[in-house]
Amino acid sequence: VREQFLKDIVGKLTNKKVSVCVDPVFLLSASEYEDVCMKPRERKYILVFHMTYSRELVEFASKLAMNKGLRLIECFGGFAAHQKSADSICNWGPQELLGLIANAEVVFTTSFHGLAFSLILHRNVWLINKGDNCRQHSLLHLAGLDHRMLTTFDQYNEQPIDFDSVDSKLAPVIKESKDFLRF
């Protein structure tokens, strides 16, 4: 399974030893993803990657982008854009999404994979609490970044993520997963 809380549940139900493995996106390195990224035309932007739309997030990120002299790019996954603008992207592929994340100044997301790829590609990321963030919270906790889940936008700050610390926490878990999977 991918999360500790699922290990506990499945272990109780089956009375068998259950292993926790990272999401498969962590089995490749940042450089392997960077090799397939499509570099976006845009420069100097804040990326909002929606899996669940949040009007409040868009308003907050728009103000932040304006204050910093950056563009705001919204990327929508799994549903149609609520309000299409010149900076809304609805029809993206994996290479485009990786490129958008890899080149963003900061990423705000409601998506597990938006969070995961931001961590892999060393982008400052903030997860927006949408109430059902079990997988995302588990990943933030594993990376030592519980404070990067925003319940209110007052919690936002400019402090960059210490990726040496994140990598040192994720590396042994990734290695254990690769060993278990014989990757």
Side-chain angles (χ1 to χ4, degrees):
V1 296
R2 294 185 195 164
E3 284 83 30
Q4 182 66 41
F5 74 93
L6 287 175
K7 175 184 176 179
D8 298 340
I9 293 169
V10 173
K12 287 178 187 173
L13 292 173
T14 63
N15 292 321
K16 295 187 182 231
K17 183 177 187 255
V18 179
S19 295
V20 176
C21 290
V22 293
D23 188 273
V25 300
F26 287 98
L27 300 178
L28 297 179
S29 68
S31 63
E32 290 171 297
Y33 285 116
E34 288 164 351
D35 287 344
V36 298
C37 283
M38 288 183 73
K39 190 160 181 92
R41 292 181 313 232
E42 297 80 5
R43 301 249 190 260
K44 301 285 186 183
Y45 58 90
I46 292 174
L47 177 65
V48 174
F49 178 41
H50 299 279
M51 283 305 284
T52 302
Y53 183 77
S54 167
R55 181 182 50 79
E56 296 83 9
L57 168 57
V58 174
E59 290 171 0
F60 174 78
S62 294
K63 288 177 189 170
L64 183 62
M66 188 172 51
N67 290 340
K68 294 179 144 304
L70 303 171
R71 290 182 66 185
L72 175 67
I73 297 177
E74 289 182 81
C75 187
F76 295 84
F79 64 97
H82 281 254
Q83 179 181 342
K84 291 184 181 179
S85 69
D87 293 331
S88 294
I89 301 171
C90 300
N91 55 348
W92 49 268
Q95 293 173 307
E96 290 92 354
L97 179 61
L98 287 170
L100 286 167
I101 292 171
N103 292 282
E105 297 294 315
V106 66
V107 176
F108 291 97
T109 189
T110 58
S111 159
F112 172 83
H113 287 99
L115 171 62
F117 284 120
S118 294
L119 295 178
I120 293 166
L121 296 167
H122 288 184
R123 304 319 304 160
N124 280 311
V125 62
W126 289 92
L127 181 69
I128 308 310
N129 187 356
K130 58 185 173 98
D132 60 347
N133 299 89
C134 292
R135 290 186 72 210
Q136 295 94 321
H137 188 265
S138 179
L139 177 55
L140 285 174
H141 185 71
L142 183 64
L145 296 172
D146 292 289
H147 64 282
R148 299 299 280 205
M149 183 183 295
L150 296 178
T151 304
T152 69
F153 293 105
D154 293 336
Q155 296 169 299
Y156 172 78
N157 63 63
E158 299 283 327
Q159 176 115 19
I161 293 174
D162 176 357
F163 283 105
D164 289 336
S165 175
V166 169
D167 291 345
S168 71
K169 288 177 172 80
L170 294 179
V173 181
I174 293 168
K175 182 183 180 326
E176 286 175 28
S177 297
K178 287 180 176 182
D179 290 347
F180 177 79
L181 297 169
R182 294 178 187 88
F183 190 81

